[in-house]
């Protein structure tokens, strides 16, 4: 039986393990942490439970597909529900808007609250669906680095529709052209942050993202986001995959341009070398080259690309419940363009940042003590370049408390009974993500899709790459898709 080593038990690594075990490989997953999931993990604090990273679950079919692939009933492992209300939006001038899952209801709410015609919202969402349909077949399910992708029927459809895909203008330009109300421009510009980009630079092609939330839906795993990880680890173990925790891979062994194994250390032993036929790295691709293969040729142009945004996250136990808040809530800044300039040009966080608050105890009450809520408060931040984070975090904490207190009419600072903080430095140290970026290379230009590493090495045989730092991109759905694409090329 051919043996595969997977470096990292992030969602990309676990999905790969399932697919390769199903193909008949003997699969071992080496994970540096004592737990699986990487960014998609959770922790407990003083009676509260927090999902540590991702909070929005889209395209659940990609998770379900993994259970179905191996002939298992997904419901025996994993359950989720569709959200009736996607997000609750708040502005400083007391405007409030709920993004309902039902498109007509959402469009009417937009018209009632902001005067932007409902039909424009519906047209925008239809166009988003069209863009997604064209690009899903072309970019998201295949390797961009194989000729067959470019000569397929799907590619032909893509070429014919090129002018309609929004490649040549920015997301903000497209949205300003379509919508009169600046709040609605801001609302749809926000989707650039779903892969850590700047709406004033990223191409309008990324207007495909709202399609996922509005036309397909936003979902919630009944046992929290971490249950995506837990259920897939269970599935992998049921298929015979072995997980080795606290086992940090230090080198990918290469002989005559072909992978021969890995060297790793665990808590009881250092420098263990083991032979493998195939190695798949779910570690961010930049440190995979720089740290695990220092003597191989590096694709510097790709590795040195500017990174996507990162985040500062405050996990707050709040000793009160807020009826006006839902699972997902956004408190918008007054000057969105300045917010992104501050992040991507000045590489810091502005004084009035947009604040995202996720509260899982709204749907899963046992995530917080009675009468309380577990707030996951995320502020977009630049990738780590050695900024004075302690000062940035202290200033941001104060600004966020003041902003949310102003809008909710309640002193939030007095309600925080416990706190944990995650920032670009700790994201980097906990998951090895280059500069703590949440989504690998940034997508702030129209060539971004081509500036991500392929899912395989063209120089070293039997070496593959999966996860949010490589093709097709970051976020749970794309990290799962990266595994599907890589596994197409890994043969027994
Ligand atoms: P990662 O989660 O990056 O895990 C990589 C794993 O490899 C880690 O467990 C790490 O310990 C391990 N590893 C690294 N180096 C080694 C080594 N040398 N040896 C052994 N193990 C190693 N996505 C969404 O879809 N929706 C969201 O709402 C969302 N919000 C986010 C919010 C935050 C705060 C963060 C941090 C991320 C968010 N994302 C979101 C992005 C999403 O979490 C990631 O894109 C996705 O989880 C990345 O998965 P991955 O497979 O690349 O692995």
């Amino acid at each position: 039986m051919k043996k595969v080593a997977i470096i990292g038990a992030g969602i990309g690594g676990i999905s790969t393990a399932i697919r390769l075990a199903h193909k008949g490989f003997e699969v071992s997953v080496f994970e540096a942490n004592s737990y699986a999931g990487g960014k998609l993990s959770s922790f407990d604090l003083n009676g509260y439970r927090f999902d540590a990273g991702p909070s929005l679950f889209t395209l659940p079919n990609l998770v379900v597909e993994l259970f179905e692939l191996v002939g298992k009933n997904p419901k025996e492992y994993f359950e989720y529900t569709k959200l009736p209300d996607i997000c609750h939006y708040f502005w400083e001038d007391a405007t409030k808007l709920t993004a309902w899952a039902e498109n007509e209801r959402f469009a009417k709410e937009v018209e009632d609250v902001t005067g932007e015609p409902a039909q424009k919202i519906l047209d925008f969402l239809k166009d988003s669906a069209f863009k997604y349909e064209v690009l899903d077949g072309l970019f998201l399910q295949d390797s961009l680095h194989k000729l067959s992708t470019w000569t397929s029927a799907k590619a032909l459809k893509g070429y014919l529709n090129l002018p309609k895909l929004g490649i040549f203008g920015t997301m903000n330009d497209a949205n300003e052209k379509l919508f009169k109300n600046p709040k609605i421009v801001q609302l749809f510009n926000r989707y650039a942050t779903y892969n850590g980009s700047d709406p004033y630079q990223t191409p309008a092609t990324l207007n495909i993202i709202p399609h996922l939330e509005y036309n397909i839906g936003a979902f919630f795993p009944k046992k929290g986001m971490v249950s995506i990880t837990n259920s897939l680890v269970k599935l992998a173990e049921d298929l015979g995959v072995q997980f080795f925790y606290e086992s940090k891979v230090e080198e990918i062994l290469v002989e005559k341009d072909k992978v021969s194994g890995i060297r790793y250390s665990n808590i009881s032993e250092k420098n263990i070398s083991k032979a493998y036929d195939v190695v798949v790295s779910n570690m961010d691709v930049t440190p995979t080259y720089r740290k695990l293969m220092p003597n191989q040729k590096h694709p510097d142009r790709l590795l040195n690309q500017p990174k996507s945004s990162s985040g500062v996250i405050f996990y707050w136990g709040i000793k009160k419940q807020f009826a006006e808040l839902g699972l997902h809530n956004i408190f918008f800044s007054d000057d969105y363009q300045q917010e992104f300039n501050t992040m991507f040009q000045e590489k810091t966080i502005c004084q009035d940042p947009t604040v995202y608050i996720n509260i899982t105890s709204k749907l899963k009450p046992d995530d917080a003590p009675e009468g309380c809520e577990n707030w996951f408060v995320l502020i977009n931040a630049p990738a780590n370049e050695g900024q004075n984070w302690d000062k940035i975090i202290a200033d941001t904490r104060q600004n966020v408390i003041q902003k949310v207190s102003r809008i909710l009419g309640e002193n939030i600072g007095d309600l925080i009974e416990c706190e944990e903080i995650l920032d670009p430095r700790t994201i980097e140290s906990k998951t090895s993500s280059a500069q703590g970026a949440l989504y690998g290379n940034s997508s702030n230009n129209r060539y971004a899709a081509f500036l991500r590493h392929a899912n395989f090495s063209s120089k070293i045989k039997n070496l593959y790459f999966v996860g949010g730092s490589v093709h097709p991109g970051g976020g749970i759905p794309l990290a799962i898709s990266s595994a599907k694409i890589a596994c197409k090329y890994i043969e027994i």
Side-chain angles (χ1 to χ4, degrees):
M1 201 185 240
K2 276 199 180 166
K3 290 163 65 172
V4 182
I6 298 176
I7 305 168
I11 189 70
I14 303 167
S15 308
T16 307
I18 291 166
R19 287 184 176 275
L20 294 184
H22 180 62
K23 271 194 171 188
F25 287 92
E26 184 185 313
V27 184
S28 303
V29 181
F30 294 86
E31 168 53 53
N33 292 322
S34 57
Y35 54 88
K39 299 181 181 79
L40 188 48
S41 52
S42 82
F43 66 93
D44 295 327
L45 182 71
N46 295 8
Y48 292 85
R49 188 199 71 87
F50 293 94
D51 283 313
S55 54
L56 176 69
F57 183 35
T58 52
L59 293 179
N61 57 304
L62 295 175
V63 176
V64 167
E65 187 186 1
L66 290 164
F67 294 100
E68 289 175 345
L69 172 76
V70 302
K72 299 278 188 187
N73 178 0
K75 290 204 173 107
E76 282 175 17
Y77 291 79
F78 178 63
E79 285 198 275
Y80 59 94
T81 46
K82 187 172 175 183
L83 302 178
D85 49 335
I86 297 172
C87 189
H88 298 254
Y89 290 100
F90 298 82
W91 284 268
E92 290 268 1
D93 65 0
T95 304
K96 287 184 200 170
L97 194 154
T98 302
W100 301 103
E102 209 188 310
N103 286 353
E104 281 75 18
R105 189 175 177 197
F106 169 51
K108 181 169 182 320
E109 167 116 0
V110 169
E111 184 167 314
D112 290 349
V113 174
T114 69
E116 191 72 55
Q119 191 55 46
K120 281 201 181 175
I121 303 298
L122 297 174
D123 291 347
F124 174 84
L125 295 177
K126 213 167 143 194
D127 181 60
S128 180
F130 167 78
K131 286 191 171 80
Y132 182 82
E133 195 203 321
V134 174
L135 290 167
D136 179 45
L138 184 59
F139 285 91
L140 304 181
Q141 303 214 19
D142 272 310
S143 172
L144 287 183
H145 309 83
K146 295 275 181 189
L147 185 63
S148 53
T149 306
W150 296 101
T151 52
S152 66
K154 291 176 201 162
L156 184 66
K157 189 171 174 193
Y159 304 142
L160 292 174
N161 287 298
L162 215 53
K164 296 185 199 157
L165 296 180
I167 293 166
F168 303 108
T170 70
M171 175 186 265
N172 177 66
D173 286 349
N175 292 344
E176 270 191 348
K177 215 162 139 196
L178 188 62
F179 302 116
K180 282 214 167 56
N181 190 299
K183 289 192 171 68
I184 299 308
V185 174
Q186 186 174 31
L187 190 152
F188 285 113
N189 276 356
R190 176 186 161 242
Y191 288 89
T193 66
Y194 280 33
N195 73 354
S197 310
D198 172 353
Y200 302 90
Q201 295 186 61
T202 202
T205 321
L206 284 196
N207 276 334
I208 62 170
I209 298 175
H211 169 67
L212 305 183
E213 254 184 39
Y214 293 97
N215 297 328
I216 301 179
F219 299 83
F220 182 71
K222 286 188 176 166
K223 293 185 181 164
M225 293 298 285
V226 72
S227 66
I228 303 173
T229 294
N230 294 342
S231 62
L232 291 178
V233 167
K234 166 94 176 60
L235 176 65
E237 285 174 340
D238 287 351
L239 295 171
V241 173
Q242 281 200 294
F243 286 84
F244 298 94
Y245 294 104
E246 296 182 86
S247 297
K248 188 170 184 179
V249 176
E250 280 148 359
E251 188 181 354
I252 295 173
L253 305 174
V254 178
E255 279 171 27
K256 293 189 188 143
D257 296 335
K258 190 175 170 192
V259 149
S260 62
I262 57 165
R263 178 172 60 78
Y264 70 100
S265 293
N266 59 30
I267 36 174
S268 47
E269 222 183 321
K270 300 263 167 276
N271 289 319
I272 310 161
S273 290
K274 268 197 187 165
Y276 285 96
D277 303 296
V278 173
V279 171
V280 183
S281 180
N282 177 217
M283 182 187 194
D284 185 302
V285 65
T286 305
T288 298
Y289 275 99
R290 305 267 190 245
K291 294 188 177 159
L292 307 192
M293 300 187 289
N295 302 322
Q296 302 295 328
K297 192 167 167 24
H298 293 179
D300 287 321
R301 185 161 161 266
L302 299 191
L303 305 187
N304 293 338
Q305 285 301 310
K307 298 294 171 245
S308 77
S309 60
S310 181
V312 168
I313 300 99
F314 301 101
Y315 307 91
W316 286 337
I318 296 282
K319 55 183 179 191
K320 188 179 157 105
Q321 292 182 327
F322 288 83
E324 61 270 57
L325 300 180
L327 176 67
H328 301 290
N329 310 277
I330 289 282
F331 295 76
F332 270 124
S333 63
D334 273 345
D335 189 341
Y336 216 35
Q337 185 153 16
Q338 193 234 333
E339 179 175 355
F340 284 93
N341 281 344
T342 310
M343 185 158 47
F344 285 100
Q345 267 84 53
E346 296 167 34
K347 310 285 172 83
T348 187
I349 298 176
C350 68
Q351 296 300 301
D352 173 33
T354 294
V355 180
Y356 165 71
I357 304 181
N358 173 253
I359 311 170
T360 61
S361 61
K362 290 283 183 194
L363 297 187
K364 192 173 168 302
D366 61 349
D367 279 352
E370 215 178 313
C372 304
E373 290 179 341
N374 64 339
W375 284 23
F376 163 108
V377 182
L378 177 132
I379 296 91
N380 293 313
N384 183 22
E385 294 186 14
Q387 294 93 326
N388 182 352
W389 285 112
D390 291 341
K391 167 142 182 36
I392 295 174
I393 291 165
D395 291 350
T396 301
R397 186 179 187 280
Q398 203 180 0
N399 292 333
V400 167
I401 288 176
Q402 284 172 1
K403 181 179 183 74
V404 178
S405 300
R406 263 191 320 268
I407 294 179
L408 291 181
E410 184 98 33
N411 189 342
I412 298 302
D414 290 347
L415 300 175
I416 302 171
E417 60 173 4
C418 58
E419 175 179 64
E420 191 66 63
I421 300 174
L422 187 71
D423 65 62
R425 294 167 303 186
T426 41
I427 293 171
E428 186 166 10
S429 62
K430 283 185 177 178
T431 64
S432 291
S433 293
Q435 298 175 236
L438 302 191
Y439 305 95
N441 288 349
S442 93
S443 296
N444 285 339
N445 74 59
R446 76 174 75 123
Y447 307 108
F450 303 96
L451 296 169
R452 280 182 179 271
H453 199 287
N455 302 107
F456 52 86
S457 165
S458 51
K459 302 269 184 300
I460 301 168
K461 203 162 177 274
N462 293 350
L463 175 60
Y464 296 86
F465 300 92
V466 298
S469 71
V470 293
H471 178 72
I476 299 168
L478 297 191
I480 296 177
S481 299
S482 73
K484 187 173 181 181
I485 298 170
C487 291
K488 278 188 193 174
Y489 303 105
I490 308 177
E491 287 307 334
I492 194 100

